[in-house]
Amino acid sequence: MSFAVKRSSLAGVVALGLTGAFAPPFIDRAEADENLLGYTIGAETTPKGGNELYLWNTIHSGKRQGSYTADYFRLEYERGLTDTLSGSIYLNGYRHKYSGSPVPGEIDGSLSQTKFSGFSVELKKNILSPYKDDLGVALYGELTYDTVDSITGAAIRGWELETKVIFQKPYLDGQFQWLTNIEFEAETAKDNESGAVESAIAPRLRSGISYRFIPNWYIGAEGWVDMEMLNAAADPAEPGSGGWEFDHWDFFAGPSIHYGGKRWWATLTWAHQFAGSSEESGAQNRTDLHLADHERNELRLKVGYNF
Protein backbone atom coordinates (compact mmCIF):
# COMPACT_ATOMS: atom_id res chain seq x y z
CA MET A 1 0.00 0.00 0.00
CA SER A 2 1.38 3.45 -0.93
CA PHE A 3 1.95 6.21 1.63
CA ALA A 4 -0.82 8.27 0.02
CA VAL A 5 -3.30 5.40 0.40
CA LYS A 6 -2.24 4.86 4.02
CA ARG A 7 -2.65 8.59 4.74
CA SER A 8 -6.09 8.59 3.09
CA SER A 9 -7.20 5.57 5.11
CA LEU A 10 -6.00 7.15 8.35
CA ALA A 11 -7.84 10.37 7.56
CA GLY A 12 -11.02 8.39 6.93
CA VAL A 13 -10.76 6.60 10.28
CA VAL A 14 -10.15 9.88 12.11
CA ALA A 15 -13.09 11.55 10.34
CA LEU A 16 -15.39 8.64 11.21
CA GLY A 17 -14.32 8.79 14.84
CA LEU A 18 -14.91 12.53 15.06
CA THR A 19 -18.32 12.16 13.44
CA GLY A 20 -19.38 9.61 16.06
CA ALA A 21 -18.01 11.66 18.92
CA PHE A 22 -19.55 15.00 17.99
CA ALA A 23 -22.82 14.07 16.29
CA PRO A 24 -25.86 15.32 18.24
CA PRO A 25 -26.71 12.44 20.59
CA PHE A 26 -30.43 12.69 20.03
CA ILE A 27 -30.27 12.34 16.24
CA ASP A 28 -29.95 8.59 16.88
CA ARG A 29 -32.96 7.81 19.06
CA ALA A 30 -32.27 4.11 19.53
CA GLU A 31 -32.33 4.58 23.30
CA ALA A 32 -35.29 5.68 25.41
CA ASP A 33 -36.14 9.38 25.39
CA GLU A 34 -34.33 11.70 27.78
CA ASN A 35 -35.83 14.49 29.90
CA LEU A 36 -33.86 17.57 28.82
CA LEU A 37 -35.72 19.65 31.44
CA GLY A 38 -36.89 18.79 34.93
CA TYR A 39 -40.61 19.56 34.55
CA THR A 40 -41.45 20.19 30.88
CA ILE A 41 -41.22 16.94 28.92
CA GLY A 42 -40.67 16.16 25.22
CA ALA A 43 -42.88 14.45 22.66
CA GLU A 44 -40.80 11.31 22.07
CA THR A 45 -41.64 7.89 23.50
CA THR A 46 -39.48 4.93 24.44
CA PRO A 47 -39.00 2.69 21.34
CA LYS A 48 -40.83 -0.64 21.19
CA GLY A 49 -39.23 -3.14 23.55
CA GLY A 50 -37.05 -0.46 25.18
CA ASN A 51 -36.87 -0.11 28.96
CA GLU A 52 -35.96 2.77 31.21
CA LEU A 53 -35.69 3.28 34.97
CA TYR A 54 -36.08 6.76 36.44
CA LEU A 55 -35.32 8.01 39.95
CA TRP A 56 -36.85 11.35 40.92
CA ASN A 57 -36.30 13.54 43.97
CA THR A 58 -37.97 16.94 44.24
CA ILE A 59 -37.18 19.10 47.28
CA HIS A 60 -39.77 21.74 48.20
CA SER A 61 -38.71 24.41 50.70
CA GLY A 62 -39.94 27.69 52.19
CA LYS A 63 -43.43 28.53 53.50
CA ARG A 64 -44.87 31.61 55.20
CA GLN A 65 -43.00 31.09 58.45
CA GLY A 66 -40.99 28.58 60.43
CA SER A 67 -39.02 25.82 58.70
CA TYR A 68 -40.46 23.61 55.95
CA THR A 69 -38.97 20.95 53.67
CA ALA A 70 -40.78 18.23 51.72
CA ASP A 71 -39.08 15.65 49.50
CA TYR A 72 -41.13 13.95 46.76
CA PHE A 73 -39.62 10.59 45.76
CA ARG A 74 -40.59 8.65 42.64
CA LEU A 75 -39.24 5.40 41.17
CA GLU A 76 -40.48 4.89 37.60
CA TYR A 77 -40.24 1.98 35.18
CA GLU A 78 -41.05 2.80 31.54
CA ARG A 79 -41.58 0.32 28.70
CA GLY A 80 -41.97 0.94 24.99
CA LEU A 81 -45.22 -0.82 24.02
CA THR A 82 -44.99 0.23 20.36
CA ASP A 83 -42.73 2.69 18.56
CA THR A 84 -45.22 5.47 19.36
CA LEU A 85 -46.75 4.32 22.67
CA SER A 86 -45.03 3.89 26.03
CA GLY A 87 -46.34 2.95 29.46
CA SER A 88 -44.96 3.57 32.96
CA ILE A 89 -45.59 2.54 36.55
CA TYR A 90 -44.41 4.55 39.55
CA LEU A 91 -43.86 4.02 43.26
CA ASN A 92 -44.22 7.28 45.19
CA GLY A 93 -43.16 8.51 48.63
CA TYR A 94 -42.78 11.66 50.72
CA ARG A 95 -40.46 12.94 53.40
CA HIS A 96 -41.81 15.87 55.44
CA LYS A 97 -39.82 17.87 57.95
CA TYR A 98 -41.26 21.11 59.28
CA SER A 99 -41.66 23.15 62.46
CA GLY A 100 -43.01 26.49 63.62
CA SER A 101 -46.46 26.16 62.02
CA PRO A 102 -45.35 27.01 58.43
CA VAL A 103 -48.91 27.90 57.34
CA PRO A 104 -51.04 28.72 60.41
CA GLY A 105 -54.42 27.03 60.26
CA GLU A 106 -53.33 24.67 57.47
CA ILE A 107 -49.87 23.36 58.41
CA ASP A 108 -49.57 23.70 62.18
CA GLY A 109 -46.99 22.47 64.69
CA SER A 110 -44.13 20.26 63.54
CA LEU A 111 -43.61 16.94 61.77
CA SER A 112 -40.76 14.67 60.75
CA GLN A 113 -41.71 11.56 58.76
CA THR A 114 -40.89 9.53 55.64
CA LYS A 115 -43.64 7.39 54.10
CA PHE A 116 -44.47 5.38 51.02
CA SER A 117 -47.57 7.07 49.62
CA GLY A 118 -48.90 5.12 46.65
CA PHE A 119 -48.50 4.41 42.95
CA SER A 120 -49.08 5.88 39.50
CA VAL A 121 -49.68 4.49 36.01
CA GLU A 122 -48.98 6.44 32.82
CA LEU A 123 -49.48 6.22 29.06
CA LYS A 124 -47.79 8.46 26.50
CA LYS A 125 -48.74 8.47 22.82
CA ASN A 126 -46.59 10.13 20.17
CA ILE A 127 -48.69 11.70 17.38
CA LEU A 128 -46.01 13.55 15.41
CA SER A 129 -42.24 13.08 15.61
CA PRO A 130 -40.15 16.21 16.29
CA TYR A 131 -37.53 14.93 13.79
CA LYS A 132 -39.66 13.33 11.06
CA ASP A 133 -42.53 15.84 11.13
CA ASP A 134 -40.65 19.00 12.20
CA LEU A 135 -43.03 19.61 15.13
CA GLY A 136 -43.44 16.89 17.72
CA VAL A 137 -46.84 16.31 19.35
CA ALA A 138 -47.79 13.77 22.01
CA LEU A 139 -50.64 12.98 24.39
CA TYR A 140 -50.04 11.98 28.02
CA GLY A 141 -52.21 10.60 30.82
CA GLU A 142 -51.29 9.65 34.40
CA LEU A 143 -53.46 8.23 37.22
CA THR A 144 -52.20 8.36 40.83
CA TYR A 145 -53.44 6.82 44.08
CA ASP A 146 -52.13 8.58 47.21
CA THR A 147 -52.29 7.84 50.95
CA VAL A 148 -50.26 10.85 52.12
CA ASP A 149 -51.06 14.54 51.65
CA SER A 150 -48.14 15.95 49.69
CA ILE A 151 -48.23 19.30 51.53
CA THR A 152 -49.08 18.49 55.16
CA GLY A 153 -48.05 14.82 55.39
CA ALA A 154 -51.48 13.88 56.79
CA ALA A 155 -53.04 10.47 56.09
CA ILE A 156 -55.53 10.59 53.22
CA ARG A 157 -57.14 8.47 50.51
CA GLY A 158 -56.98 10.26 47.20
CA TRP A 159 -56.92 9.98 43.42
CA GLU A 160 -55.42 12.30 40.83
CA LEU A 161 -55.71 12.35 37.04
CA GLU A 162 -53.14 14.36 35.07
CA THR A 163 -53.30 14.92 31.31
CA LYS A 164 -50.93 16.73 28.94
CA VAL A 165 -50.68 17.84 25.34
CA ILE A 166 -46.96 17.95 24.55
CA PHE A 167 -45.20 20.00 21.86
CA GLN A 168 -41.52 19.79 20.91
CA LYS A 169 -39.82 21.91 18.27
CA PRO A 170 -36.14 21.24 17.37
CA TYR A 171 -33.89 23.90 15.83
CA LEU A 172 -30.29 23.87 14.51
CA ASP A 173 -30.49 20.15 13.62
CA GLY A 174 -31.69 19.36 17.13
CA GLN A 175 -29.04 21.32 19.01
CA PHE A 176 -31.69 23.71 20.35
CA GLN A 177 -35.07 22.45 21.63
CA TRP A 178 -38.27 24.29 22.54
CA LEU A 179 -40.72 22.29 24.69
CA THR A 180 -44.26 23.19 25.76
CA ASN A 181 -46.81 21.26 27.84
CA ILE A 182 -50.48 22.14 28.25
CA GLU A 183 -51.65 20.30 31.37
CA PHE A 184 -54.86 19.67 33.27
CA GLU A 185 -55.17 17.97 36.67
CA ALA A 186 -58.22 16.78 38.57
CA GLU A 187 -57.96 15.34 42.08
CA THR A 188 -60.04 14.36 45.06
CA ALA A 189 -58.91 13.38 48.55
CA LYS A 190 -60.52 12.38 51.85
CA ASP A 191 -58.77 13.19 55.12
CA ASN A 192 -58.60 10.05 57.27
CA GLU A 193 -58.98 11.95 60.57
CA SER A 194 -61.65 14.56 59.84
CA GLY A 195 -63.45 12.80 57.00
CA ALA A 196 -63.44 16.02 54.99
CA VAL A 197 -63.32 15.59 51.22
CA GLU A 198 -61.63 18.14 48.97
CA SER A 199 -61.70 18.18 45.18
CA ALA A 200 -59.66 20.40 42.89
CA ILE A 201 -58.99 21.07 39.22
CA ALA A 202 -55.84 22.80 37.96
CA PRO A 203 -54.92 23.90 34.42
CA ARG A 204 -51.23 24.60 33.85
CA LEU A 205 -48.96 25.85 31.05
CA ARG A 206 -45.26 24.90 31.03
CA SER A 207 -42.64 25.94 28.49
CA GLY A 208 -38.87 25.73 28.29
CA ILE A 209 -35.78 25.67 26.10
CA SER A 210 -32.68 23.47 26.08
CA TYR A 211 -29.38 24.01 24.24
CA ARG A 212 -26.52 21.55 23.72
CA PHE A 213 -23.39 23.62 24.38
CA ILE A 214 -20.85 20.76 24.26
CA PRO A 215 -21.33 17.07 23.35
CA ASN A 216 -23.77 15.37 25.76
CA TRP A 217 -24.29 18.51 27.90
CA TYR A 218 -27.29 20.85 27.77
CA ILE A 219 -28.28 24.03 29.57
CA GLY A 220 -31.87 25.15 29.71
CA ALA A 221 -34.56 27.20 31.39
CA GLU A 222 -38.25 26.61 31.95
CA GLY A 223 -41.23 28.17 33.64
CA TRP A 224 -44.88 27.53 34.32
CA VAL A 225 -48.04 29.23 35.46
CA ASP A 226 -51.03 27.43 36.93
CA MET A 227 -54.25 28.07 38.77
CA GLU A 228 -56.46 25.94 40.99
CA MET A 229 -60.19 25.72 41.56
CA LEU A 230 -61.54 24.06 44.72
CA ASN A 231 -64.89 22.50 45.50
CA ALA A 232 -65.75 24.40 48.68
CA ALA A 233 -68.82 22.26 49.33
CA ALA A 234 -66.58 19.23 49.79
CA ASP A 235 -65.34 20.64 53.13
CA PRO A 236 -68.07 20.66 55.83
CA ALA A 237 -66.31 23.55 57.60
CA GLU A 238 -66.23 25.72 54.48
CA PRO A 239 -68.70 28.65 54.65
CA GLY A 240 -70.96 29.60 51.79
CA SER A 241 -73.36 27.75 49.55
CA GLY A 242 -70.72 25.48 48.03
CA GLY A 243 -69.69 24.80 44.49
CA TRP A 244 -66.43 25.48 42.70
CA GLU A 245 -64.44 28.60 43.48
CA PHE A 246 -61.06 30.05 42.54
CA ASP A 247 -58.30 29.22 45.06
CA HIS A 248 -54.96 30.48 43.76
CA TRP A 249 -52.49 31.01 40.91
CA ASP A 250 -48.69 30.95 40.87
CA PHE A 251 -45.71 31.41 38.55
CA PHE A 252 -42.41 29.47 38.75
CA ALA A 253 -39.25 29.62 36.62
CA GLY A 254 -35.63 28.55 36.79
CA PRO A 255 -32.54 27.05 35.09
CA SER A 256 -31.59 23.44 34.40
CA ILE A 257 -28.57 21.40 33.35
CA HIS A 258 -28.69 18.01 31.64
CA TYR A 259 -26.16 15.29 30.82
CA GLY A 260 -27.07 12.55 28.34
CA GLY A 261 -24.89 9.49 27.82
CA LYS A 262 -25.54 6.32 25.83
CA ARG A 263 -27.09 4.37 28.72
CA TRP A 264 -27.92 6.96 31.35
CA TRP A 265 -28.79 10.61 31.76
CA ALA A 266 -29.38 13.11 34.56
CA THR A 267 -31.22 16.44 34.83
CA LEU A 268 -31.02 18.99 37.65
CA THR A 269 -33.53 21.87 37.77
CA TRP A 270 -34.04 24.68 40.27
CA ALA A 271 -37.31 26.65 40.19
CA HIS A 272 -38.31 29.73 42.18
CA GLN A 273 -41.81 31.09 42.77
CA PHE A 274 -41.74 34.64 41.43
CA ALA A 275 -45.42 35.52 41.87
CA GLY A 276 -48.66 34.10 43.19
CA SER A 277 -51.89 34.77 45.05
CA SER A 278 -52.72 33.88 48.62
CA GLU A 279 -55.78 33.42 50.81
CA GLU A 280 -54.07 35.46 53.52
CA SER A 281 -53.39 39.18 53.69
CA GLY A 282 -51.12 41.47 55.69
CA ALA A 283 -47.77 40.37 57.07
CA GLN A 284 -48.11 36.74 55.99
CA ASN A 285 -48.54 37.76 52.34
CA ARG A 286 -46.24 40.75 52.02
CA THR A 287 -44.13 38.77 49.51
CA ASP A 288 -47.10 38.38 47.11
CA LEU A 289 -46.47 34.63 46.80
CA HIS A 290 -48.79 31.67 47.21
CA LEU A 291 -47.18 29.72 50.04
CA ALA A 292 -50.05 27.53 51.23
CA ASP A 293 -50.12 24.92 48.45
CA HIS A 294 -46.70 25.78 47.01
CA GLU A 295 -43.27 26.76 48.29
CA ARG A 296 -40.70 29.42 47.53
CA ASN A 297 -38.26 27.02 45.88
CA GLU A 298 -38.15 23.59 44.22
CA LEU A 299 -35.04 21.56 43.35
CA ARG A 300 -35.54 18.47 41.18
CA LEU A 301 -33.04 15.75 40.26
CA LYS A 302 -34.00 13.09 37.72
CA VAL A 303 -31.74 10.21 36.74
CA GLY A 304 -32.61 7.74 33.96
CA TYR A 305 -31.04 4.44 32.90
CA ASN A 306 -31.82 2.75 29.56
CA PHE A 307 -31.66 -1.02 29.12
Side-chain angles (χ1 to χ4, degrees):
M1 181 181 294
S2 69
F3 177 74
V5 173
K6 289 181 179 179
R7 183 173 59 184
S8 176
S9 299
L10 179 60
V13 171
V14 171
L16 182 60
L18 291 177
T19 300
F22 292 97
F26 41 73
I27 287 180
D28 179 5
R29 302 305 300 179
E31 305 298 335
D33 64 302
E34 302 172 16
N35 290 181
L36 299 177
L37 300 172
Y39 295 82
T40 312
I41 64 174
E44 293 182 286
T45 54
T46 300
K48 182 179 181 180
N51 301 279
E52 187 161 8
L53 282 177
Y54 297 76
L55 181 62
W56 305 35
N57 183 24
T58 308
I59 303 173
H60 301 246
S61 60
K63 289 288 191 183
R64 291 177 185 159
Q65 63 183 38
S67 174
Y68 180 93
T69 302
D71 290 66
Y72 295 9
F73 304 109
R74 307 194 82 183
L75 178 62
E76 175 188 357
Y77 167 68
E78 181 176 327
R79 171 80 173 177
L81 305 177
T82 72
D83 284 334
T84 60
L85 178 67
S86 61
S88 296
I89 56 174
Y90 300 75
L91 298 178
N92 306 318
Y94 299 113
R95 175 184 177 272
H96 290 87
K97 187 174 183 180
Y98 58 80
S99 60
S101 298
V103 183
E106 296 186 39
I107 310 176
D108 294 311
S110 61
L111 179 69
S112 180
Q113 71 175 24
T114 302
K115 285 187 175 182
F116 168 74
S117 62
F119 64 89
S120 304
V121 292
E122 168 210 310
L123 286 175
K124 182 180 178 183
K125 173 65 176 177
N126 176 257
I127 307 299
L128 296 174
S129 167
Y131 303 104
K132 296 178 182 178
D133 303 300
D134 194 38
L135 175 67
V137 180
L139 301 178
Y140 175 104
E142 180 183 328
L143 180 65
T144 297
Y145 174 70
D146 244 337
T147 61
V148 177
D149 187 292
S150 63
I151 302 170
T152 66
I156 62 166
R157 293 291 184 272
W159 292 91
E160 177 185 302
L161 177 64
E162 179 183 10
T163 61
K164 302 181 184 185
V165 181
I166 302 163
F167 300 94
Q168 179 178 354
K169 175 65 175 176
Y171 296 92
L172 303 176
D173 294 325
Q175 185 174 3
F176 181 88
Q177 300 277 346
W178 176 32
L179 311 172
T180 296
N181 298 168
I182 301 173
E183 305 178 1
F184 182 83
E185 289 184 12
E187 62 182 8
T188 184
K190 180 178 181 180
D191 185 275
N192 286 5
E193 183 176 347
S194 67
V197 177
E198 182 176 271
S199 300
I201 55 175
R204 181 181 302 111
L205 174 65
R206 301 187 194 269
S207 193
I209 56 174
S210 182
Y211 177 75
R212 188 181 75 255
F213 61 99
I214 58 175
N216 301 328
W217 286 92
Y218 307 75
I219 55 173
E222 62 182 315
W224 63 90
V225 59
D226 69 2
M227 60 173 287
E228 185 173 277
M229 302 283 292
L230 289 179
N231 188 340
D235 186 350
E238 188 77 21
S241 58
W244 292 94
E245 62 180 29
F246 174 78
D247 183 67
H248 74 269
W249 67 271
D250 55 83
F251 169 67
F252 281 80
S256 68
I257 187 166
H258 171 84
Y259 171 80
K262 181 175 177 58
R263 286 295 182 185
W264 71 279
W265 56 264
T267 303
L268 181 66
T269 299
W270 174 75
H272 177 72
Q273 186 182 164
F274 284 94
S277 61
S278 177
E279 304 91 343
E280 299 292 334
S281 60
Q284 288 186 337
N285 193 36
R286 60 176 177 262
T287 56
D288 293 322
L289 303 177
H290 181 76
L291 299 175
D293 295 289
H294 298 284
E295 294 72 41
R296 296 178 187 272
N297 298 290
E298 296 186 16
L299 182 67
R300 171 171 288 184
L301 174 65
K302 299 174 74 173
V303 179
Y305 176 72
N306 309 320
F307 61 99

